[in-house]
Amino acid sequence: MGKKMEMGRLPCLLLVLVLCWSFGRCELQDEKPPSSSIPTVKPLHDELNQPQAFPEEQRANLPVFTMDYPRIQVPFEFTLWVLLASFAKIGFHIYHKITIWIPESCLLISIGLVVGAIMHSVKEEPPAVLSSNVFFLYMLPPIVLDNGYFMPTRPFFENVGTVLWYAVVGTLWNSVGIGLSLFAICQIEAFGVQDINLQNLLFASIISAVDPVAALNVFEDIGVNEQLYIVIFGEGLFNDAVTVVLYSMFSFLADLPVVESVDVFLGVARFFVVGVGGVLFGLLFGFVAAFTTRFTHNVRQIEPLFVFMYSYLAYLVAELFAISSVLAIITCAITMKYYVEENVSQRSCTTIRHVVKMLATVSETLIFFFLGVVTITTEHEWSWAYVLFTLLFAFVWRGIGMLVLTQIINPFRTIQFNFKDQFGLAYGGLRGAICFALVFTLPDNINRRNLFVTASIAIIIFTVFIQGISIRPIVEYINIRRTNKDLNTINVEVHTRMMEHVVCGIEDLCGQWSHYYWKDKFKKFNDKVLRRILLRDNRAESSIVSLYKKLELQNAIDLLDTPMGDLSACKKQKNLTYIFFPLFNFPD
Amino acid sequence: MGKKMEMGRLPCLLLVLVLCWSFGRCELQDEKPPSSSIPTVKPLHDELNQPQAFPEEQRANLPVFTMDYPRIQVPFEFTLWVLLASFAKIGFHIYHKITIWIPESCLLISIGLVVGAIMHSVKEEPPAVLSSNVFFLYMLPPIVLDNGYFMPTRPFFENVGTVLWYAVVGTLWNSVGIGLSLFAICQIEAFGVQDINLQNLLFASIISAVDPVAALNVFEDIGVNEQLYIVIFGEGLFNDAVTVVLYSMFSFLADLPVVESVDVFLGVARFFVVGVGGVLFGLLFGFVAAFTTRFTHNVRQIEPLFVFMYSYLAYLVAELFAISSVLAIITCAITMKYYVEENVSQRSCTTIRHVVKMLATVSETLIFFFLGVVTITTEHEWSWAYVLFTLLFAFVWRGIGMLVLTQIINPFRTIQFNFKDQFGLAYGGLRGAICFALVFTLPDNINRRNLFVTASIAIIIFTVFIQGISIRPIVEYINIRRTNKDLNTINVEVHTRMMEHVVCGIEDLCGQWSHYYWKDKFKKFNDKVLRRILLRDNRAESSIVSLYKKLELQNAIDLLDTPMGDLSACKKQKNLTYIFFPLFNFPD
């Protein structure tokens, strides 16, 4: 094994270098990158009709060898980018030692910085593909779909209150706190940024959102306990609604001379429209998707497609109405998953999971990579005071916010967050690609736009590199509770269910309604109505049977991961030890 | 079962109708379809910064509800098209009786005609996506990749001579024959098409290529014998090189006043560049892909990606140099398949196969669907004489060509084609999407372009509908040899191998080198060199072991197709009955 890897290093590195070089050449060749990915109708081989392409005076003969780069440019360069990013990923995993201590996101940004430097030295323009529209319409959806599809449903719903508390109030707290502090700083004449007024709030709303991709990238590697993981995960995903509203509200207010109180009320109204609307669209598309897969048993080949099409539609429709597209696609994925996976064949199920994971991995890799590239190729405006105070305030307000908010939410929690957990939550609040993409959507009429871009990139690089790299040693040093992976077996499931029923019964006697009550109600509604409508084979089944099915599916998928010709080995081993974690932390 | 389907019909039809309607509305809304799929950088929610969007005179408040359609238009409409096509496919399979007698391609074209008529009645323009560049760069590659990846290797290499004979000489024969006949017809004054001269040859080169998609669509359903199937299959795929060369040559010559003999020689040279170049690029990318998957065992998540990226790169690079991209991607797929499937995990293998099949199915569905739409929305120029004579000549020359060419090739074949087979081959020569896309690439300076478009569409509709629908009854009536599905078991494999070795030995004694000799040589080279370089786990193995592995993989895949919780049922049943056909005729 060791010898093989030794052998593999050289060719792999060479491949990366060759690709870098060839890509650099491609970039050099195109003088004017076309703005369209679907080029306008152009005759195939039309260069054949243009003898003037040959400089000779004489009559041109039939050309034996021709070349037409602009025609294939967009798909060609896109494929090369993806391939380059994939090579980088292979490279990291060949040198295993690196990825233990430095998160992949840091490595990718570093490579992006190098590529960006090369590109910057040969031409000014960044590639046309790296616009914020591309990010929001094509690169973010696969990542969020992945997060939604592999969302650990039970821990999420058990912590939903805490998640929403941090996501909504925490993000508001950070935005207002950072914004007002920066506003105060801007009044100091010595810093030379007195012209920034209300735009500070706009900027603060951009940088206060924790990024799910960056944070999870680090937390998954470390393996913190389920509670911490789900809270960071949920906070990153669900602060989208708040960020969208704050961003649009502040960018609207920044242009106005006076702010009326009605605007604040409308902002609150808009928050509910954005959040609840996103959830409703997600539910709608999720149920339609589940219903559609009732009828796909004759077209198994295109079955997985419906999952992607419907969740993408949910995302796009939410974008259309400027409501929370992230909430829409997450809700859609969570809603459809249970029913779709019962309707489709196991092969389709495997394909869906693998493709969701694959697309998300590629998007994620590309995003960090491009983040590095654009950091170099974009225009910057540097102000020591503004950037450093931004970093300071972002750090301080998140710390204070976590302490205060946890004090308020802790009495309502069964498992309370201790001080170490709070530190982990605060320190794990990395900023990432969403902040990066949002800052590029700032309109050009903001005269300090470049300063905001620089400050955002600074805070992203700082949090991803400094916090991202140091979080593992710190978590290990202060000994935060880790995940307990081999707890979930059929046996545990049976006992958990029993306990839930007991608690539910006791609560009923006391006249108290907690989430157990609602869970019970939903289960009855699900068995009586939803399953009948959405499932092809809709016999009601106990949760144990459904767990057994999950187990069997996991087993079949594990079976496919064994080397060829070794099919019998896996089955015995895994049959009864159901590991819950792999279901959302998809083993590769 | 019957009752469930009965229940399913209504909602499914309703869904299709609603989607049609909503799609029609979307089409109506966009006055000016944007030409770019990646819109230029535009501030997110920028409509919030434009209070003038509100007609009121007074100061606008923060809008609670906004909408921005152009931003999401391209991905949204694309998703809707795919969804609509998928619904159509579901619909056909719910009414099983239809698809037995009418090929799916006909049904899709019909639906396309209806949608096209609706679109035509409300606005003139066809959707911007339906350009020939989109067809060649995005829709054709998945189909050809599918054909190459699931190519039945053994029958193909056993018939490679016949395939090339029909593909190269047959296409030449048809092009020249049809072209000269039409040229003669154009001299008759009464028909009013005297202005078409050499362009007849250009037109003939477009319509003489048999389409693999249309033909296979029909032949797969019928289940003709392996020999016929592989010849039609190969002819459709490999005439690409000839078509590309003839097309570019004739479109070059059509503009010239005199044709010099050197151009003909250059044309022949170009044919070899196009054909051999395509194969070489395919081999190159195939081997690089196989080599790359040696190192992907740590990044199983993105493993399937390499298959798609490399084959697409092969296709694009071939397009760049205007050589046969179809040959490139087929060769790439055939080359990589064997090595890639040994390197990757079984789950990746399942995903690769399913996704290849899924993408191809979607492309195919969309192509036939769009063919119907564009038939209505495009501009036509009708000439009874020209269209009817085109149909007649296409039919006659293919018939005569098949008779003559088979007479020449038959003495070299072990299993000779009888008269019935020849009829099947001639009658199965449907024209399809490639012809359709090529005719739209004709430059605008050809003044009879619209007539050529009309004639091409006429011949496509005629062959797909009349021949496509009548071929099944005819094949059943004249009783052409069908496929014999349950012949291939391990037992058959062992005996085939033995016979091959015996024949190889006898040939060696006689001093004759046939394909058995080369197969033997390649096998040794493969074991000694290629497997060592390209495979991670490169122990040489006998063909029986490799067949056993294939069997096990097939078994695992079948396992995944059984309903949930029924995992044990499948294994016993299929273990020893290895069916060869499903490997290329991927069961769904």
Side-chain angles (χ1 to χ4, degrees), chain B residues 459-478:
Chain B
I459 197 169
I460 294 168
I461 301 268
F462 179 83
T463 54
V464 170
F465 275 78
I466 308 295
Q467 293 181 206
I469 293 176
S470 63
I471 197 165
R472 177 189 282 265
I474 291 178
V475 162
E476 282 180 358
Y477 182 72
I478 67 174

Side-chain angles (χ1 to χ4, degrees), chain B residues 175-360:
Chain B
S175 301
V176 175
I178 299 172
L180 292 181
S181 315
L182 282 175
F183 184 79
I185 289 299
C186 286
Q187 306 310 313
I188 300 171
E189 215 168 307
F191 296 148
V193 284
Q194 280 162 293
D195 54 322
I196 313 176
N197 295 319
L198 273 179
Q199 293 168 356
N200 275 315
L201 282 167
L202 179 59
F203 174 65
S205 76
I206 292 174
I207 62 159
S208 54
V210 173
D211 191 70
V213 185
L216 287 190
N217 206 306
V218 171
F219 270 58
E220 263 180 8
D221 281 357
I222 302 179
V224 293
N225 70 77
E226 211 175 53
Q227 307 287 324
L228 272 194
Y229 181 88
I230 198 71
V231 168
I232 280 280
F233 185 83
E235 187 192 347
L237 289 178
F238 289 93
N239 61 19
D240 178 67
V242 185
T243 308
V244 167
V245 173
L246 283 182
Y247 178 84
S248 60
M249 197 166 77
F250 287 141
S251 77
F252 183 79
L253 297 184
D255 287 348
L256 296 181
V258 242
V259 179
E260 287 177 21
S261 60
V262 65
D263 286 325
V264 176
F265 285 108
L266 284 176
V268 175
R270 196 167 151 67
F271 168 71
F272 283 101
V273 170
V274 165
V276 177
V279 171
L280 286 183
F281 269 116
L283 283 175
L284 175 72
F285 279 97
F287 282 126
V288 173
F291 184 70
T292 308
T293 51
R294 261 191 84 152
F295 306 103
T296 52
H297 51 285
N298 286 319
V299 283
R300 292 276 191 226
Q301 289 166 349
I302 55 170
E303 226 169 27
L305 206 66
F306 288 101
V307 169
F308 303 109
M309 291 290 120
Y310 278 115
S311 27
Y312 193 44
L313 267 191
Y315 185 90
L316 287 178
V317 171
E319 280 281 314
L320 169 63
F321 296 115
I323 59 180
S324 173
S325 45
V326 170
L327 277 183
I329 197 170
I330 289 179
T331 318
C332 179
I334 294 177
T335 310
M336 73 166 77
K337 187 186 179 183
Y338 171 79
Y339 306 104
V340 164
E341 295 206 336
E342 291 226 6
N343 276 331
V344 304
S345 75
Q346 291 199 20
R347 179 164 60 193
S348 299
C349 186
T350 313
T351 305
I352 292 169
R353 288 179 178 201
H354 204 161
V355 173
V356 165
K357 211 70 199 169
M358 188 171 78
L359 293 179

Side-chain angles (χ1 to χ4, degrees), chain A residues 71 319 346-347 557 560, chain B residues 71 319 346-347 557 560:
Chain A
R71 183 162 167 269
E319 280 281 313
Q346 292 199 21
R347 179 163 60 193
I557 288 175
L560 286 185
Chain B
R71 183 164 165 268
E319 280 281 314
Q346 291 199 20
R347 179 164 60 193
I557 288 174
L560 288 183

